[in-house]
Amino acid sequence: MKKLLMIAAFGTFMFAGVTGEGHHADHWSYSGNMGPQHWGDIDPKFRMCALGVNQSPIDMDRFVDAKLPKLKITYAGIAKEVVYNGHTIKVTTLGKNEVVIDGKPFMLMQFHFHTPSENKIAGKQFPMEAHFVHKSKDGEYLVIALMFKEGRKNSALQKVLNDLSTEVGKKRMLREMFNPGDFFPRKLDYYRYDGSFTTPPCTEGVRWIVLKNPVEASKEQIAMMHEIMHDNSRPVQPLKARVILK
């Protein structure tokens, strides 16, 4: 059932939406007095949500041309289990799914979704975004962000939807396990920037890779995802002194 996916692409350089998905849904929210503008006050552990200077997501509109190294992705594992955790629809993975950035290997831990997209590209927001969350042995994080646009039915996404429970916290094994790389577009050109988790605790020091080319999902599939997750996107954060490499 294992499948080897070897991907090489040019471009420079990305955890959990990125994510503090371990917290229960009632600890923070996307609206009201527990919404993003209040995250930094909810818990001292979340103070970076208010005080951080390299926060995510962002509107990528300040680009610098860079000679980016090849992006090497070797996914030889599977997407295994799906759960709606009250914040996002998350899929856990199994096996060796590795990305090498800056000469350092990062292992895929999980991927999850946001409707609409959190990051924007030159002001454009997409109807959905997936975050593939990776971690290195020394505890550093990298996220690959993938945008979705309306179009043809997405077969990998449908395998997730087929076994998804709308009950918060109810995990289900995927009957049709698949390689996580099945989501990726053929061309892996990307943008790179330094950012943070997009959910509490908003930890900084996260490498972000945002793929330039979106993939398609049907209007019905995106609507189903949104019906469960609702609007679960943190507003874009100030770019400050950062630039986006392309």
Side-chain angles (χ1 to χ4, degrees):
M1 177 166 273
K2 291 188 177 181
K3 170 185 174 185
L4 178 65
L5 177 68
M6 293 294 295
I7 303 176
F10 290 93
T12 251
F13 163 140
M14 165 195 100
F15 159 99
V18 182
T19 188
E21 301 293 356
H23 298 280
H24 295 297
D26 59 350
H27 284 183
W28 54 270
S29 176
Y30 284 101
S31 61
N33 59 8
M34 303 290 276
Q37 66 271 35
H38 302 294
W39 286 352
D41 302 320
I42 293 173
D43 189 311
K45 296 177 182 178
F46 300 169
R47 62 185 179 275
M48 288 301 291
C49 299
L51 302 178
V53 296
N54 291 317
Q55 290 289 291
S56 298
I58 59 171
D59 185 352
M60 294 178 291
D61 61 359
R62 188 190 300 161
F63 299 102
V64 171
D65 290 326
K67 191 174 183 180
L68 303 173
K70 290 182 179 181
L71 173 63
K72 294 185 178 180
I73 302 177
T74 305
Y75 280 179
I78 54 173
K80 179 183 72 165
E81 185 179 76
V82 62
V83 63
Y84 171 55
N85 64 12
H87 297 307
T88 186
I89 293 168
K90 183 174 71 173
V91 180
T92 53
T93 56
L94 181 68
K96 186 177 180 180
N97 300 301
E98 182 182 86
V99 179
V100 177
I101 292 291
D102 302 331
K104 178 178 293 191
F106 292 81
M107 298 302 298
L108 179 64
M109 301 170 61
Q110 49 99 340
F111 58 90
H112 60 271
F113 301 86
H114 295 271
T115 53
S117 73
E118 294 199 302
N119 291 289
K120 297 180 180 180
I121 301 177
K124 179 178 176 59
Q125 187 173 37
F126 290 80
M128 187 165 72
E129 178 177 353
H131 292 165
F132 293 77
V133 181
H134 303 73
K135 186 177 182 180
S136 68
K137 287 184 177 180
D138 58 1
E140 295 183 3
Y141 290 102
L142 173 145
V143 174
I144 297 178
L146 172 64
M147 304 297 180
F148 288 78
K149 64 180 181 179
E150 286 189 9
R152 293 170 295 182
K153 186 175 181 179
N154 189 298
S155 59
L157 182 60
Q158 191 58 46
K159 292 173 183 177
V160 173
L161 286 168
N162 287 343
D163 296 311
L164 175 62
S165 171
T166 59
E167 182 180 338
V168 176
K170 186 171 184 179
K171 300 177 181 179
R172 284 186 172 174
M173 297 291 290
L174 296 176
R175 286 171 292 178
E176 292 186 81
M177 296 182 184
F178 62 94
N179 189 291
D182 290 352
F183 274 108
F184 290 168
R186 293 179 63 183
K187 294 184 65 176
L188 293 177
D189 299 331
Y190 58 91
Y191 305 104
R192 174 177 174 169
Y193 77 92
D194 292 328
S196 72
F197 296 173
T198 66
T199 61
C202 305
T203 306
E204 296 187 343
V206 177
R207 292 173 170 91
W208 277 87
I209 288 176
V210 181
L211 298 180
K212 292 183 179 180
N213 298 304
V215 296
E216 295 183 0
S218 70
K219 182 178 181 179
E220 293 74 19
Q221 287 178 313
I222 294 172
M224 288 177 67
M225 297 289 282
H226 183 261
E227 184 177 353
I228 296 170
M229 299 188 297
H230 307 291
D231 289 348
N232 67 337
S233 300
R234 185 189 192 190
V236 294
Q237 302 298 300
L239 194 55
K240 296 188 182 291
R242 290 177 290 177
V243 295
I244 296 90
L245 302 178
K246 69 173 185 176

